[in-house]
Amino acid sequence: MTFSDPIRMRGVRGATTVTANDAEEIREATRELLREMVQRNEVDPEEIASCLFTSTPDLDAAFPASAARTFDGWSHVPLVGAQEVDVANALPLCIRVMMHINTTKRQAEIQHVYLRGAVALRPDLAKK
């Protein structure tokens, strides 16, 4: 980054699935997803403006956002959780994240992350 690079807010999407409504599995899958989102986009916690976490109605054993609190530097990142709309035939046991970051990257440079069964949501973006 140079002094003249404009800093913009960008959204980074991510999603993953779990095999059961289990608190530790929800937190571990969320940690895995957040690590990938941060690593692939070279994000420092100071650059995170906020994160929105959603989960399908079949996940109520833990708040996915609670997983973020285990990371160094995330104590001041605003987090909020919500429940996805209960749509017939939607992907079950799914956790989604919308991370808002301050970055010099163009939208086309943002790498969205889809792991596990969530690859089915956006196979076009689910690259490793």
Side-chain angles (χ1 to χ4, degrees), residues 1 8 13 18-19 21 24 27 31 33 39-40 45 56 62 82-84 86 88 91 108 110 114 120 122:
M1 178 166 73
R8 301 174 180 96
R13 288 275 296 134
V18 293
T19 60
N21 184 26
E24 188 48 40
R27 285 189 288 269
R31 283 189 291 266
L33 177 60
Q39 180 183 359
R40 291 186 195 182
T56 49
Q83 187 178 77
E84 287 285 334
D86 193 10
L91 182 65
I110 298 297
Y114 294 84
R122 290 296 304 265

Side-chain angles (χ1 to χ4, degrees), residues 12 37-45 47-48 99 101:
V12 182
M37 293 172 72
V38 165
Q39 180 183 359
R40 291 186 195 182
N41 291 286
E42 302 170 310
V43 176
D44 181 286
E47 299 166 335
I48 303 171
M99 181 184 298
I101 62 171

Side-chain angles (χ1 to χ4, degrees), residues 92-105:
L93 302 168
C94 187
I95 300 160
R96 293 174 173 88
V97 175
M98 173 67 77
M99 181 184 298
H100 303 100
I101 62 171
N102 296 301
T103 183
T104 58
K105 293 179 187 280

